Amino acid sequence: MLVLFDQGTPVPIRPFLVGHTVETTAQRGWDKLKNGELLEVAEEAGFEVLVTPDKNIRYQQNLTLRRIALVVLATPSGPCSANMSSVSSLR
């Protein structure tokens, strides 16, 4: 599966997506695109999933006709953020 990490997506989670090809918007030169443009070019490039910390994307975009799936990450605060650094130190 071809996965795109949006700006602000923690790159340290990349190794946990074994068997998937992961690229960032910065690698593609898409880091300055607005959400609508980003979704369009990502779909055209064959990306199947966009991982983003942007909780408002579903309210800002009409997603009904989109082929790309969205994974919206929770804000890294509280006990989960502490656990993430522990997980990455285990490897």
Side-chain angles (χ1 to χ4, degrees), residues 9 49-59 63 69-75:
T9 300
V49 178
L50 173 67
V51 181
T52 182
D54 184 355
K55 290 183 184 60
N56 293 318
I57 194 169
R58 64 184 173 169
Y59 304 113
L63 302 173
L70 294 179
V71 175
V72 179
L73 301 176
T75 305

Side-chain angles (χ1 to χ4, degrees), residues 4 10-12 16 18 23-24 36 38 47 50 56 58 69 72 74 91:
L4 182 63
V11 177
F16 295 99
V18 177
E23 295 183 28
T24 66
L38 178 60
F47 283 93
L50 173 67
N56 293 318
R58 64 184 173 169
V72 179
R91 294 186 288 120

Side-chain angles (χ1 to χ4, degrees), residues 9-86:
T9 300
V11 177
I13 65 174
R14 181 185 238 164
F16 295 99
L17 299 174
V18 177
H20 302 288
T21 302
V22 179
E23 295 183 28
T24 66
T25 54
Q27 287 174 313
R28 284 288 184 135
W30 298 342
D31 48 325
K32 303 286 190 254
L33 296 179
K34 300 290 183 199
N35 287 337
E37 295 169 304
L38 178 60
L39 291 169
E40 188 69 33
V41 298
E43 284 181 339
E44 288 173 4
F47 283 93
E48 299 167 86
V49 178
L50 173 67
V51 181
T52 182
D54 184 355
K55 290 183 184 60
N56 293 318
I57 194 169
R58 64 184 173 169
Y59 304 113
Q60 298 167 343
Q61 301 297 316
N62 181 357
L63 302 173
T64 55
L65 299 177
R66 293 288 176 194
R67 296 181 311 270
I68 194 167
L70 294 179
V71 175
V72 179
L73 301 176
T75 305
S77 62
C80 290
S81 64
N83 290 338
M84 186 61 169
S85 61
S86 300

